[in-house]
């Protein structure tokens, strides 16, 4: 396909979006180790060099996938917190349930997101992760201000909650718990969490 035809097929932004969509599909099917810019170029119908305009290196593509993942996760958590019963415990329940279902539905992507967040090189992924979990952090702070949660490190309390919910989703993804039980177990976990962190 010629350069001119590529430009006709993909106006600004479309190639990047197409590559990310194809990359996420490949990630679900084959895992991160099999992701190849050359293969993705062939899949979306462009020359093998075209993806490098958006992703000079393979790691740039992986980081973009992780950032997109956190953006989607954050949007799900924000919507969950904002909708329904305004009761504090109900909002925590909805936020954690949104995260648990995202983790169950996007196993390979979440693994990539977690790995990218902790890479030492400077990328936008850690900030994307912070933004995604801001609604939960805000809930923890609100709970402390309203004396529903004990005063202490917001980060430590958040890590305990994250680890609990992520652990349940991991058990589901590994076939150790039926997926149908996830919601019930998240509800129990959040109830125990709120009781355990009460003043």
């Amino acid at each position: 396909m010629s350069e001119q035809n590529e430009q006709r097929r993909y106006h600004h932004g479309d190639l990047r979006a197409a590559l990310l969509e194809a990359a996420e599909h490949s990630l679900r099917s084959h895992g991160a180790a099999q992701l190849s810019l050359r293969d993705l170029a062939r899949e979306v119908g462009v020359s093998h060099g075209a993806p490098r305009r958006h992703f000079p290196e393979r790691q740039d593509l992986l980081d973009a996938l992780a950032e997109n993942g956190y953006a989607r996760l954050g949007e799900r958590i924000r919507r969950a917190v904002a909708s329904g019963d305004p009761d504090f415990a109900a909002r925590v329940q909805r936020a954690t349930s949104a995260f648990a279902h995202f983790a169950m539905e996007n196993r390979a992507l979440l693994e990539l997101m977690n790995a990218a967040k902790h890479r030492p090189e400077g990328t936008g992924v850690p900030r994307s992760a912070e933004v995604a979990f801001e609604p939960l952090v805000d809930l923890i702070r609100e709970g402390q201000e309203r004396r529903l949660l004990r005063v202490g490190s917001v980060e430590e309390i958040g890590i305990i909650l994250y680890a609990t919910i992520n652990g349940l989703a991991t058990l589901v993804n590994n076939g150790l718990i039926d997926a149908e039980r996830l919601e019930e177990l998240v509800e129990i976990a959040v109830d125990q969490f709120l009781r355990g962190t009460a003043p």
Side-chain angles (χ1 to χ4, degrees), residues 61-174:
L61 171 68
L62 298 178
D63 288 344
L65 279 172
E67 288 185 37
N68 276 6
Y70 278 119
R72 283 166 32 207
L73 172 59
E75 181 57 30
R76 283 177 72 161
I77 293 173
R78 279 188 291 278
R79 280 200 316 264
V81 170
S83 63
D85 188 343
D87 176 71
F88 176 75
R91 284 182 287 143
V92 174
Q93 181 68 50
R94 291 196 305 271
T96 52
S97 177
F99 170 55
H101 284 279
F102 180 92
M104 184 182 70
E105 296 159 10
N106 300 278
R107 176 181 184 173
L109 178 59
L110 187 65
E111 288 175 6
L112 174 67
M113 290 158 60
N114 286 332
K117 181 173 66 172
H118 296 293
R119 277 183 38 250
E121 296 86 352
T123 70
V125 179
R127 179 59 189 149
S128 298
E130 287 175 17
V131 171
F133 287 107
E134 272 176 0
L136 270 171
V137 171
D138 290 344
L139 279 173
I140 292 170
R141 287 200 179 101
E142 177 189 337
Q144 290 177 327
E145 289 166 5
R146 294 175 56 190
R147 298 180 181 173
L148 300 171
L149 301 177
R150 75 169 66 101
V151 175
S153 167
V154 172
E155 181 182 7
E156 286 179 8
I157 293 172
I159 286 171
I160 296 300
L161 184 57
Y162 176 91
T164 302
I165 303 306
N166 189 59
L168 288 173
T170 299
L171 290 172
V172 169
N173 286 336
N174 289 338

Side-chain angles (χ1 to χ4, degrees), residues 45-60:
V46 295
S47 68
H48 71 269
R52 297 199 181 274
R53 293 182 209 144
H54 299 283
F55 309 110
E57 303 292 337
R58 181 176 175 277
Q59 189 60 54
D60 298 318

